[in-house]
Amino acid sequence: HANHIYDIRDIPISMLKRDTHLKVRRITLEGKAELDPIVREVLNELAYPRYYLDFETVSFAIPIWVNTKPYQQIPFQFSCHVEETPSVVMHKEFLDVSGNDPRRDFAEALIESCGNAGPIIVYNETFEKGRIKELSNLFFDLAENLLELNERIFDLHPVVKKHYYHPDMKGSWSIKYVLPCLVPELNYKDLGAVQDGIQAQQAYFDLTGNTLDEKKQKQLKVDLIEYCKLDTLAMVEIVHKLVIKI
């Protein structure tokens, strides 16, 4: 760095203009997490049942299915934790690694899994909302039901960013940084061959490439399911911790 500053704790306050940067510096210097009590009110306003949702997608440089474009993100998997009450949580999932276009079955399963009412909680709504909008443009008979899902989406990411920070997050509010700080008993590093979105996409290629024996196929499917499942379970547990930590 031109000013020979390599540690956030050495940055003069005068150099920082954004509130977020000032907050990160202050909490890093203090060395302990900060939680805004108002987050409890925000999250307790969410009605039940609550649907915690996450997608995995695959993209191809050269499209292999009709009505797809180069590098289009095609959803082939979702995880949905359904919280009927704070003590009753069910899990629903969808995974298509057949090699066929997964979008129709994905859309129908998504509508079925998310019920008719209740918030659909995601972490960074742009991604899920974008994929749902694309599906609604493709399947006119499902469009109304799909767009109704988008109306119910609640984005957890800005809530966490506004109200919580831990020095170990190192300036990132990615769920993979937030989770070990709030819920250390859950960890992506404890997963198998799939621990992030890039590995999930590679797993899709491996499973549809007919290069794996039956045992490896079975295990990789399990790893894919467990990874996506952790993404939504992480949101359930993060919400619980933010509410009870105050």
Side-chain angles (χ1 to χ4, degrees), residues 206-219:
D206 291 342
L207 285 165
T208 55
N210 297 318
T211 59
L212 303 177
D213 62 38
E214 188 176 341
K215 184 179 179 182
K216 287 182 178 177
Q217 275 202 346
K218 188 175 180 180
Q219 184 58 53

Side-chain angles (χ1 to χ4, degrees), residues 104-228:
R104 178 78 195 191
D105 289 345
F106 180 100
E108 291 177 348
L110 183 66
I111 292 166
E112 189 278 328
S113 295
C114 289
N116 299 315
I120 298 171
I121 301 167
V122 301
Y123 207 85
N124 188 11
E125 67 180 10
T126 306
F127 181 69
E128 274 78 15
K129 276 189 169 181
R131 304 297 77 74
I132 290 172
K133 183 71 166 65
E134 289 163 0
L135 291 170
S136 74
N137 290 335
L138 185 63
F139 304 117
F140 296 119
D141 59 319
L142 303 178
E144 184 177 352
N145 288 331
L146 288 166
L147 293 174
E148 283 175 359
L149 300 183
N150 268 357
E151 292 299 314
R152 293 163 51 198
I153 282 181
F154 175 89
D155 193 351
L156 185 59
H157 178 265
V159 176
V160 176
K161 187 167 186 177
K162 186 175 182 180
H163 299 295
Y164 178 74
Y165 187 72
H166 189 291
D168 289 347
M169 287 160 55
K170 303 188 187 304
S172 173
W173 279 267
S174 159
I175 200 165
K176 291 174 177 59
Y177 281 85
V178 173
L179 186 64
C181 295
L182 274 172
V183 195
E185 59 269 29
L186 291 180
N187 200 314
Y188 285 87
K189 293 177 182 175
D190 294 333
L191 294 170
V194 182
Q195 299 184 1
D196 60 39
I198 294 172
Q199 290 177 341
Q201 184 164 234
Q202 184 58 52
Y204 180 90
F205 292 138
D206 291 342
L207 285 165
T208 55
N210 297 318
T211 59
L212 303 177
D213 62 38
E214 188 176 341
K215 184 179 179 182
K216 287 182 178 177
Q217 275 202 346
K218 188 175 180 180
Q219 184 58 53
L220 198 50
K221 282 183 185 178
V222 169
D223 290 346
L224 258 178
I225 289 168
E226 289 303 309
Y227 165 67
C228 200

